Amino acid sequence: MTEKPLRLFFALPCPTALATSICDWRDSQDLGGRPVAPANLHLTLAFLGSQPVAKLDGLRQLGSHLRTDAFMLRLDQVQTIGHGFACLIPSQVPPPLSQLVEQLHAGLSAHGFALDSRPFLPHVTLSREVQKRPNTHPPAFKWQVEGFGLFASESTENGVHYQALQDWPLTAPSG
Ligand code: ATP
Ligand code: MG
């Protein structure tokens, strides 16, 4: 029997304590829409969509070949993107984040995965289907990014669930 395809994406999973702080702040704002659960806060690096299970080995190898230093991400702006996604955005993209995404996208393209043609826009979605433009400034959340992962997104009756399939550490910056 063929296994069901998986809806896959690479992402930075938001550490639990930071996700709690971000969601506490989000809940104190009048953003509206459908709030994202703290356990689901993440920053997508590459979205692969529906893929056969047979692709997993190659993706795991690809992930293990990426080399980027750990970095600090400052989420200091709120913006609505797409169809009413209220997001936290970094006003400055740290070079290691750009390097990680470049390496990942190059590797995925070399393996024949079709990626979104839009430029990479790092964002952490806070709430979906937001009707009005948020008029607020976040308290510059600092995220020490130490690793990234490959996730399978599953739709459940309690909402979407992201299953971590594998995670990889970033390297300690030298000097
Ligand atoms: P749901 O769609 O069930 O409401 P979700 O959007 O969190 O929940 P997915 O659609 O599986 O779940 O998406 C997983 C991640 O990939 C999310 O960060 C989503 O924003 C991102 N993503 C989804 N589709 C695309 C796409 N076409 N291009 C880039 N990123 C995408
Ligand atoms: Mg979606």
Side-chain angles (χ1 to χ4, degrees):
M1 197 181 76
T2 331
E3 285 176 279
K4 239 178 49 189
L6 299 171
R7 188 172 167 90
L8 299 177
F9 63 105
F10 284 90
L12 308 177
C14 187
T16 307
L18 178 63
T20 303
S21 304
I22 289 175
C23 290
D24 284 351
W25 172 80
R26 184 253 336 258
D27 296 344
S28 72
Q29 305 295 307
D30 187 21
L31 295 182
R34 272 194 303 126
V36 174
N40 281 356
L41 248 57
H42 67 280
L43 188 151
T44 299
L45 301 170
F47 177 73
L48 308 178
S50 180
Q51 299 290 341
V53 172
K55 299 269 181 185
L56 280 181
D57 280 352
L59 289 169
R60 287 196 162 105
Q61 277 187 29
L62 199 161
S64 66
H65 282 106
L66 305 182
R67 288 284 171 276
T68 309
D69 284 348
F71 58 91
M72 174 68 80
L73 183 67
R74 277 169 56 93
L75 298 166
D76 54 0
Q77 290 187 345
V78 176
Q79 218 171 291
T80 313
I81 63 172
H83 299 287
F85 286 51
C87 299
L88 280 176
I89 310 257
S91 58
Q92 311 258 349
V93 181
L97 175 56
S98 305
Q99 286 157 18
L100 178 62
V101 169
E102 274 165 30
Q103 288 177 31
L104 178 59
H105 287 202
L108 289 168
S109 298
H111 279 74
F113 290 97
L115 295 172
D116 196 334
S117 57
R118 290 171 298 184
F120 174 66
L121 174 68
H123 65 276
V124 176
T125 304
L126 300 176
S127 191
R128 293 153 185 278
E129 295 161 35
V130 167
Q131 301 296 329
K132 59 180 186 193
R133 180 192 276 262
N135 182 19
T136 181
H137 294 282
F141 293 106
K142 288 188 192 145
W143 179 351
Q144 179 59 35
V145 180
E146 304 280 359
F148 66 101
L150 175 64
F151 295 85
S153 164
E154 300 159 339
S155 200
T156 78
E157 58 188 21
N158 299 318
V160 69
H161 171 74
Y162 307 135
Q163 188 193 355
L165 299 178
Q166 181 128 9
D167 51 67
W168 296 272
L170 298 178
T171 48
S174 54

